[in-house]
Amino acid sequence: MNSVFGIALAHCLFNLPISIWILQGFISAIPKEMDETAFLDGYTRPRFIWQFLLPQIAPGIAVTAFFCFMFSWVEVVFARILTTTNGKPISMAINALFGFQTDIGLVMAVTVASMVPGAVLLFAMRSHLSRGFKIGQV
């Protein structure tokens, strides 16, 4: 209660089932013969994961990271329930800026600053996201 660790744990517990559900489809699309062939060729399990599996599921990891980030970034229910003083997300901080006399310039500056991490995430993962959303379409 009233800690950053508590709210982070609540977000992890909320996002873990969603992450498993999204990544399960991407991992099950990889043929079983791929890892059997890699092990026959002498690859160890960590080397197989690093050189074969992760590049194959990179679009799924990007899509999962995108959804988990968005679910946690705009989530205020956990913050209202679990915190009263510390550990508030940026959306709660913006809400706290409104009062009898609101400095609109400050509100807009904090709002733009809160949008920067999401924009950076989208920019960094744009190619993986587009491939990840296209998988499974006819």
Side-chain angles (χ1 to χ4, degrees), residues 3 33 40 46-47 51 56 59 63 65 70 83 85 111 114 118 128:
S3 70
E33 294 80 22
L40 285 175
R47 188 171 172 207
Q51 289 187 345
Q56 290 288 323
V63 169
M70 287 299 152
T83 63
T85 56
T111 303
S114 73
H128 291 300

Side-chain angles (χ1 to χ4, degrees), residues 77-123:
V77 174
F78 291 146
R80 286 206 184 268
I81 294 171
L82 296 175
T83 63
T84 56
T85 56
N86 293 334
K88 294 200 181 293
I90 193 79
S91 55
M92 297 277 301
I94 293 171
N95 190 26
L97 292 175
F98 289 99
F100 182 69
Q101 291 184 342
T102 302
D103 183 7
I104 296 297
L106 178 63
V107 171
M108 292 300 129
V110 173
T111 303
V112 169
S114 73
M115 293 169 49
V116 169
V120 168
L121 179 74
L122 286 175
F123 183 75

